[in-house]
C-alpha cells in the first residue's frame, strides 16, 4: 500500500497541472475537490479489498486520462510553437515509454514470480538484481512520473508564453530537466 497509493496521489497532481496548464491565475476548487475525492475513494476501497487489480485499474484510468489531456495539449501547441511541440513530444514518449516498460515488467514479475525467484536463487548473487522486475517497475514509474512533471512544467511555460526563457537539458541523455536559458550577448 505504501508504494501503490502514492502513485495515485502523485498522478492526481499531474492531472491537476494538465487541466490548469493554460490558466493564468487562481485555482479551481472543483478540480481539486474532484481529484481529492477520487484519491479518497481509491484509498478507502483499496485498503478494504487489497486487490492489486483494483489499484492497476484505478491507476490505469489516471494514466489514460493524463495521456488524453497531454495529447490534446500537444495538438494545440503543434499549431503555435513547433519547437515546443518537438520538445513536448520527446518528453511525452520518454514518460509514456517508461510507464509502459515498467507496466510490462511488473506484470511479468506478477505472472512469473516463482520462476523468477528460482532463477535468482540459481544464479550468482551478482546477477540476482537482473531478475528483480518489481524494482524495475518502481524505477520505470518513478522516471515516468518525473518526466510527466517536467512535461507539465514545460507545457505551463509554453502556455504562459515564457518558454523562450528556458531550455531542456538532460542527464545521461534520458533524464530531462528545465534550465534557465543563457542569454546570448
Amino acid at each position: 500500500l505504501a508504494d501503490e497509493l502514492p502513485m495515485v496521489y502523485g498522478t492526481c497532481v499531474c492531472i491537476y497541472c494538465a487541466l490548469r496548464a493554460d490558466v493564468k491565475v487562481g485555482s479551481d476548487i472543483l478540480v481539486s475537490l474532484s481529484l481529492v475525492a477520487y484519491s479518497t475513494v481509491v484509498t478507502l476501497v483499496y485498503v478494504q479489498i487489497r486487490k492489486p487489480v483494483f489499484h492497476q485499474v484505478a491507476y490505469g484510468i489516471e494514466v489514460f486520462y493524463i495521456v488524453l489531456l497531454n495529447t490534446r495539449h500537444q495538438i494545440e501547441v503543434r499549431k503555435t510553437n513547433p519547437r515546443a511541440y518537438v520538445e513536448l513530444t520527446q518528453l511525452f514518449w520518454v514518460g509514456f515509454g517508461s510507464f509502459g516498460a515498467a507496466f510490462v515488467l511488473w506484470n511479468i514479475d506478477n505472472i512469473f514470480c516463482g520462476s523468477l525467484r528460482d532463477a535468482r536463487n540459481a544464479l550468482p548473487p551478482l546477477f540476482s538484481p537482473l531478475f528483480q522486475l518489481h524494482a524495475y517497475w518502481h524505477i520505470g514509474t518513478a522516471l515516468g512520473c518525473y518526466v510527466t512533471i517536467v512535461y507539465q512544467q514545460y507545457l505551463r511555460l509554453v502556455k504562459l508564453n515564457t518558454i523562450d526563457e528556458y531550455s531542456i537539458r538532460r542527464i545521461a541523455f534520458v533524464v530531462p530537466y528545465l534550465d534557465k536559458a543563457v542569454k546570448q550577448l
Side-chain angles (χ1 to χ4, degrees), residues 86-143:
V86 169
E87 293 287 3
L88 284 171
T89 300
Q90 290 173 357
L91 290 170
F92 177 86
W93 285 112
V94 170
F96 187 73
S98 297
F99 278 120
F103 185 74
V104 168
L105 292 174
W106 184 46
N107 279 290
I108 290 170
D109 186 67
N110 285 336
I111 294 167
F112 300 107
C113 185
S115 300
L116 290 168
R117 189 177 305 114
D118 293 343
R120 281 193 304 269
N121 293 335
L123 292 172
L126 179 65
F127 297 105
S128 180
L130 297 175
F131 295 93
Q132 295 286 352
L133 300 186
H134 188 85
Y136 293 116
W137 151 256
H138 288 286
I139 292 167
T141 56
L143 178 61

Side-chain angles (χ1 to χ4, degrees), residues 54-185:
F54 176 77
H55 170 263
Q56 288 175 340
V57 171
Y59 184 66
I61 288 168
E62 286 182 300
V63 171
F64 180 75
Y65 186 52
I66 200 154
V67 166
L68 286 178
L69 289 171
N70 289 338
T71 301
R72 187 194 81 201
H73 285 303
Q74 280 185 244
I75 291 168
E76 293 169 3
V77 170
R78 183 179 188 183
K79 297 173 188 173
T80 59
N81 191 330
R83 181 183 72 89
Y85 172 75
V86 169
E87 293 287 3
L88 284 171
T89 300
Q90 290 173 357
L91 290 170
F92 177 86
W93 285 112
V94 170
F96 187 73
S98 297
F99 278 120
F103 185 74
V104 168
L105 292 174
W106 184 46
N107 279 290
I108 290 170
D109 186 67
N110 285 336
I111 294 167
F112 300 107
C113 185
S115 300
L116 290 168
R117 189 177 305 114
D118 293 343
R120 281 193 304 269
N121 293 335
L123 292 172
L126 179 65
F127 297 105
S128 180
L130 297 175
F131 295 93
Q132 295 286 352
L133 300 186
H134 188 85
Y136 293 116
W137 151 256
H138 288 286
I139 292 167
T141 56
L143 178 61
C145 189
Y146 171 76
V147 172
T148 299
I149 291 166
V150 173
Y151 178 101
Q152 298 307 326
Q153 290 174 323
Y154 192 88
L155 176 64
R156 178 84 170 139
L157 293 169
V158 169
K159 295 289 188 166
L160 294 175
N161 205 25
T162 59
I163 194 59
D164 292 334
E165 299 173 25
Y166 297 87
S167 63
I168 292 183
R169 305 224 189 275
R170 288 177 174 73
I171 300 169
F173 303 104
V174 177
V175 182
Y177 66 96
L178 288 171
D179 193 17
K180 194 82 163 159
V182 178
K183 301 229 184 222
Q184 299 294 329
L185 296 176

